[in-house]
Amino acid sequence: ASLSIASCHWRRFLRRGRALGFGMDLACWAPKDKSVSVPVPPPTCFLSCIVAAAGLRLWGRRIPVLPDTVQRLIVLTARVAGASAAGVGIWHSLAARDHCLARFTPVSHGHEVQQLMTDGPFASSRNPMYVGMVSTIWGLGLLDNTWWAPILSLPFLAYLEFIVIPVEEAHLSRRFGSSWEEYCRKTPRWVF
């Protein structure tokens, strides 16, 4: 009985942390593992792209996706599509994060993965959080009618593709072996 009470309190603690989203180590239960460490956490790079794009949009040269001569309805439709892509991207990233945390598997680097996620958001992509981040950046660019966000997402994509994801996949391959290899055969790294 005391174990179920403790488990209930722990889940409530995690939900509260998810709702607040700050000041909490959401991977505190997982053992540390330096082999999964990366130089800069992807969420930091993601937020840096958004802030830099906003700064360049405000104080730099304007690079519109749609020129000023385009009809207002087309611009409005593009902005609605951008807002939708950004919203879906945020939702997808948070859904993937919550899916992991519900199974006590950390999402932060430097911690040992507890369980291989192959269902939910991870059924269609091996990296749904990163797909969500990129969708959010591109959507915000379309919403704001600027090329700055997609342009600044290119170094972020390169960082994910050539530094972060190889570190993660090497760790998962060591940890889960044939289960990981089978998952890789069935599920794309990104979306396609």
Side-chain angles (χ1 to χ4, degrees):
S2 65
L3 181 61
S4 64
I5 291 171
S7 175
C8 178
H9 288 296
W10 183 246
R11 284 197 172 97
R12 200 172 308 134
F13 171 77
L14 282 176
R15 275 195 301 270
R16 209 173 301 133
R18 184 186 73 226
L20 296 175
F22 60 91
M24 303 184 82
D25 181 6
L26 295 178
C28 61
W29 69 86
K32 298 271 187 190
D33 186 349
K34 297 279 187 200
S35 73
V36 197
S37 294
V38 294
V40 180
T44 302
C45 295
F46 164 68
L47 293 175
S48 298
C49 282
I50 292 172
V51 169
L56 286 168
R57 169 69 168 86
L58 291 173
W59 298 296
R61 183 170 171 254
R62 187 169 173 263
I63 307 176
V65 173
L66 298 171
D68 295 334
T69 58
V70 173
Q71 292 179 349
R72 227 176 139 80
L73 181 61
I74 294 172
V75 172
L76 181 63
T77 303
R79 288 183 180 233
V80 168
S84 299
V88 167
I90 291 168
W91 175 84
H92 204 60
S93 291
L94 293 176
R97 183 197 68 179
D98 290 349
H99 187 73
C100 290
L101 293 177
R103 298 201 175 144
F104 293 98
T105 292
V107 293
S108 58
H109 291 86
H111 292 87
E112 187 177 289
V113 173
Q114 302 300 303
Q115 182 180 349
L116 181 61
M117 297 287 125
T118 59
D119 60 338
F122 295 87
S124 58
S125 170
R126 295 196 310 258
N127 298 288
M129 285 181 254
Y130 303 150
V131 169
M133 288 178 189
V134 171
S135 174
T136 300
I137 293 170
W138 290 352
L140 289 174
L142 195 53
L143 173 64
D144 195 35
N145 192 24
T146 181
W147 278 108
W148 283 120
I151 288 169
L152 290 173
S153 74
L154 296 177
F156 176 56
L157 277 168
Y159 177 66
L160 291 175
E161 182 69 24
F162 299 114
I163 295 174
V164 175
I165 293 174
V167 167
E168 294 174 347
E169 289 186 346
H171 170 73
L172 292 169
S173 180
R174 282 191 308 274
R175 179 109 166 93
F176 298 107
S178 62
S179 298
W180 168 252
E181 297 303 323
E182 179 183 338
Y183 176 60
C184 286
R185 278 192 298 278
K186 293 188 315 185
T187 312
R189 176 179 272 184
W190 290 97
V191 177
F192 304 105

